[in-house]
């Protein structure tokens, strides 16, 4: 498909790429020998969940999470780590409030740009709404996360509707792009406004998403959910929204990866017949491409599975992992692109069968592809990691990282980073019914 979606000049300017950010060392041969998982002690307190794990341009690893304790307001925090110095002395707080939604599926995100700024995105429930009604909030810190004075609402409508499942990527030294799922179209009578000021984070309201009950049932549930995108500059000035897909899956995560040809997005598309396969789009030469299906699984399901794809990229090589039931059984698949997402290889089966959960993460360090995923049987959940050769033709190793005390959606979604021949992994566990973040370094 070569059709393109034109982007207004404001958005095109906001999404202009700094291609040098994509420059990486050439791929090395797959690492030999066996790796092992070591405990990586995290700075998050008991009650923490919904992690995000990203790398800053200066090489630091950034970990964010929500601390949710009975009788307390929810707190969004982060910390930074280097192999040489460990964790910074004290976690820093980004936002606090009962309206700050604590959801493992619709987790916050953190991003660092080359100007030294930090950006944070989270979901904030609407005090005048109910259930899943929430807004996507974006904040920026100019002082390393000590203060977050800049704040705005990403969705520019006031519709009592679901917004979320966002993905972030840098568009220059001091700007970013953001994609999210937007439910405003189900309420044509909703008024819209331009958000001029920061939303209140102290409002008392129930969480927009509980860890359970995330699947939206029914033929018409979220039938008009849109995939939208926009750009924000260093002053949080926005461009104009672009609707990339007017009929996406309701609540599956979006993933973003940078390539030399532009940012690539992966999401779960949705046909009029409720076929929900994974699709990608890329921003290139001032326009977003039309969606392309990664693989025609033909998986038809009436309710959203809350299982979005995960992407990893280095140069023009892109790896995608996703969940499907195209074979009438749970299935996790991997596919590879060598042309920045124009086309993908025939999928490789990562895992299949009843124990497989649809929550996976992927990383690529040039030497090997790393994948993490969860399984659950009558004895409980297990967190797994596998290493593959860069062409996905050889599974190099499978590692059982941990037995997980959480059950069902309480274990959330693992996050994975890899570089320099090692990997870092974080996940949500449960001890005595209370959430707790755990981590592992996977080294040779």
């Amino acid at each position: 498909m070569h059709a393109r979606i034109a982007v207004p000049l404001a958005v095109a300017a906001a999404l202009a790429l700094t291609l040098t950010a994509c420059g990486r060392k050439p791929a090395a041969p797959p690492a030999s020998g066996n790796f092992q998982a070591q405990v990586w002690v995290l700075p998050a307190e008991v009650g923490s969940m919904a992690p995000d794990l990203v790398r800053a341009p200066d090489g630091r690893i950034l970990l964010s999470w929500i601390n949710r304790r009975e009788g307390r307001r929810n707190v969004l925090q982060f910390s930074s780590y280097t192999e040489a110095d460990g964790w910074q002395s004290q976690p820093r707080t980004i936002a606090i409030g009962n309206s700050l939604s604590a959801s493992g599926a619709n987790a916050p995100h953190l991003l660092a740009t080359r100007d030294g700024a930090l950006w944070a995105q989270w979901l904030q429930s609407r005090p005048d709404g109910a259930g899943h009604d929430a807004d996507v909030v974006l904040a920026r810190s100019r002082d390393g996360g000590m203060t977050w004075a800049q704040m705005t609402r990403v969705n520019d409508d006031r519709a009592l509707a679901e917004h979320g499942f966002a993905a972030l990527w840098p568009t220059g030294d001091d700007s970013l792009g953001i994609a999210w799922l937007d439910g405003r179209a189900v309420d044509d009578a909703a008024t819209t406004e331009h958000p001029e000021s920061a939303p209140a984070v102290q409002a008392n309201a129930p969480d927009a998403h509980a860890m359970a009950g995330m699947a939206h049932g029914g033929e018409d549930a979220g039938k008009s959910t849109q995939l939208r995108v926009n750009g924000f500059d260093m002053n949080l000035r926005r461009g104009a929204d672009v609707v990339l897909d007017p009929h996406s899956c309701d609540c599956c995560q979006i993933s973003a990866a940078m390539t030399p040809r532009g940012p690539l997005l992966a999401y779960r598309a949705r046909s009029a017949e409720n076929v929900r396969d994974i699709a990608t789009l890329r921003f290139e030469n001032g326009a977003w491409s039309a969606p392309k299906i990664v693989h025609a699984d033909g998986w038809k399901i009436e309710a959203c599975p809350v299982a979005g794809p995960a992407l990893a990229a280095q140069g023009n090589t892109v790896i995608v992992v996703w969940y499907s039931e195209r074979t009438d059984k749970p299935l996790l698949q991997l596919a590879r692109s060598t042309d920045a997402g124009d086309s993908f290889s025939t999928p490789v089966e990562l895992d299949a069968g009843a124990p497989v959960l649809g929550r996976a993460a992927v990383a690529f360090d040039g030497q090997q592809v790393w994948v993490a995923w969860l399984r659950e049987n009558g004895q409980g959940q297990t967190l797994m990691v596998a290493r593959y050769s860069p062409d996905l033709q050889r599974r190099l190793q499978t590692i059982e990282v941990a037995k997980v005390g959480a059950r069902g959606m309480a274990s959330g979604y693992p996050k994975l980073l890899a570089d320099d021949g090692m990997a870092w992994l974080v996940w949500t566990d449960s001890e005595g019914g209370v959430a707790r973040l755990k981590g592992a370094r996977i080294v040779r």
Side-chain angles (χ1 to χ4, degrees):
M1 297 174 64
H2 298 287
R4 305 186 72 81
I5 302 170
V7 177
L9 290 177
V11 178
L15 295 176
L17 295 173
T18 304
L19 294 181
T20 55
C22 299
R24 298 294 300 271
K25 57 193 175 187
S32 59
N34 286 331
F35 286 66
Q36 62 180 351
Q38 300 177 346
V39 173
W40 186 29
V41 179
L42 306 179
E45 294 182 350
V46 174
S48 296
M49 56 174 290
D52 192 33
L53 194 65
V54 298
R55 186 176 287 279
D58 61 7
R60 291 177 299 151
I61 293 175
L62 303 176
L63 170 68
S64 64
W65 66 89
I66 292 177
N67 187 268
R68 182 184 188 183
R69 298 289 297 275
E70 187 71 28
R72 299 183 185 178
R73 294 176 296 172
N74 296 334
V75 183
L76 174 58
Q77 296 181 299
F78 84 98
S79 190
S80 64
Y81 173 89
T82 65
E83 281 291 302
D85 300 323
W87 293 103
Q88 67 183 35
S89 58
Q90 186 71 26
R92 294 175 180 171
T93 295
I94 299 171
I96 183 170
N98 290 330
S99 59
L100 195 163
S101 177
S103 166
N106 208 337
H109 296 290
L110 201 61
L111 180 76
T113 43
R114 289 187 175 274
D115 64 346
L118 293 176
W119 307 70
Q121 171 274 317
W122 68 90
L123 192 70
Q124 188 168 306
S125 58
R126 291 286 299 274
D128 52 346
H132 299 289
D133 297 339
D135 295 315
V136 178
V137 175
L138 182 67
R140 187 175 187 271
S141 173
R142 299 171 181 259
D143 57 9
M146 296 295 293
T147 59
W148 297 82
Q150 295 174 275
M151 195 182 305
T152 192
R153 193 173 66 245
V154 172
N155 51 288
D156 62 352
D157 63 304
R158 295 292 299 174
L160 292 179
E162 184 173 9
H163 309 82
F165 301 94
L168 310 177
W169 62 93
T171 59
D173 288 347
D174 58 5
S175 57
L176 62 66
I178 180 169
W180 71 98
L181 299 184
D182 195 298
R184 74 182 69 183
V186 300
D187 183 5
D188 294 333
T191 58
T192 61
E193 66 177 28
H194 188 85
E196 298 295 343
S197 60
V201 295
Q202 303 296 329
N204 292 318
D207 297 322
H209 290 278
M211 287 304 295
M214 287 295 304
H216 296 181
E219 184 77 21
D220 294 328
K223 64 180 180 181
S224 297
T225 298
Q226 301 170 339
L227 172 62
R228 286 186 172 233
V229 68
N230 209 327
F232 289 82
D233 68 11
M234 63 182 297
N235 296 310
L236 291 186
R237 288 189 298 249
R238 62 188 299 125
D241 284 7
V242 174
V243 177
L244 299 182
D245 190 331
H247 196 68
S248 66
C249 197
D250 315 359
C251 46
C252 282
Q253 296 83 359
I254 306 165
S255 186
M258 295 298 296
T259 79
R261 295 172 58 187
L264 183 74
L265 299 182
Y267 71 106
R268 192 176 293 280
R270 179 182 179 186
S271 74
E273 294 76 30
N274 275 325
V275 173
R276 306 181 190 235
D277 288 342
I278 302 304
T280 60
L281 313 96
R282 190 177 61 240
F283 184 80
E284 185 176 16
N285 299 324
W288 285 96
S289 65
K292 294 181 179 180
I293 298 299
V294 171
H295 182 263
D297 291 341
W299 183 27
K300 184 175 182 179
I301 178 174
E302 301 301 324
C304 176
V306 200
L311 283 177
Q314 189 171 122
N316 285 315
T317 298
V318 180
I319 309 295
V320 59
V321 59
W322 75 98
Y323 178 81
S324 175
E325 294 183 16
R326 65 178 175 86
T327 58
D328 295 325
K329 65 180 179 181
L331 174 67
L332 281 170
Q333 303 173 99
L334 282 167
R336 173 177 179 253
S337 171
T338 57
D339 51 19
D342 278 347
S343 60
F344 283 86
S345 61
T346 301
V348 171
E349 182 178 296
L350 171 64
D351 200 357
V356 176
L357 302 179
R359 291 173 261 155
V362 65
F364 179 45
D365 62 8
Q367 302 176 51
Q368 59 230 310
V369 174
W370 303 77
V371 196
W373 75 102
L374 287 161
R375 311 181 92 245
E376 182 170 4
N377 57 26
Q379 286 70 52
Q381 290 189 6
T382 306
L383 180 62
M384 307 293 296
V385 165
R387 298 188 300 116
Y388 282 84
S389 61
D391 60 5
L392 302 182
Q393 296 305 300
R394 288 184 294 144
R395 185 182 288 210
L396 306 174
Q397 188 182 0
T398 303
I399 306 170
E400 182 179 300
V401 176
K403 297 293 187 183
V404 181
R407 296 293 182 268
M409 287 290 292
S411 56
Y413 295 70
K415 300 294 181 179
L416 180 68
L417 279 181
D419 201 4
D420 295 328
M422 65 178 296
W424 300 264
L425 177 66
V426 295
W427 67 96
T428 303
D429 208 331
S430 179
E431 297 178 356
V434 179
R436 183 156 196 168
L437 285 192
K438 291 188 177 180
R441 297 167 67 253
I442 305 175
V443 298
R444 187 163 42 186

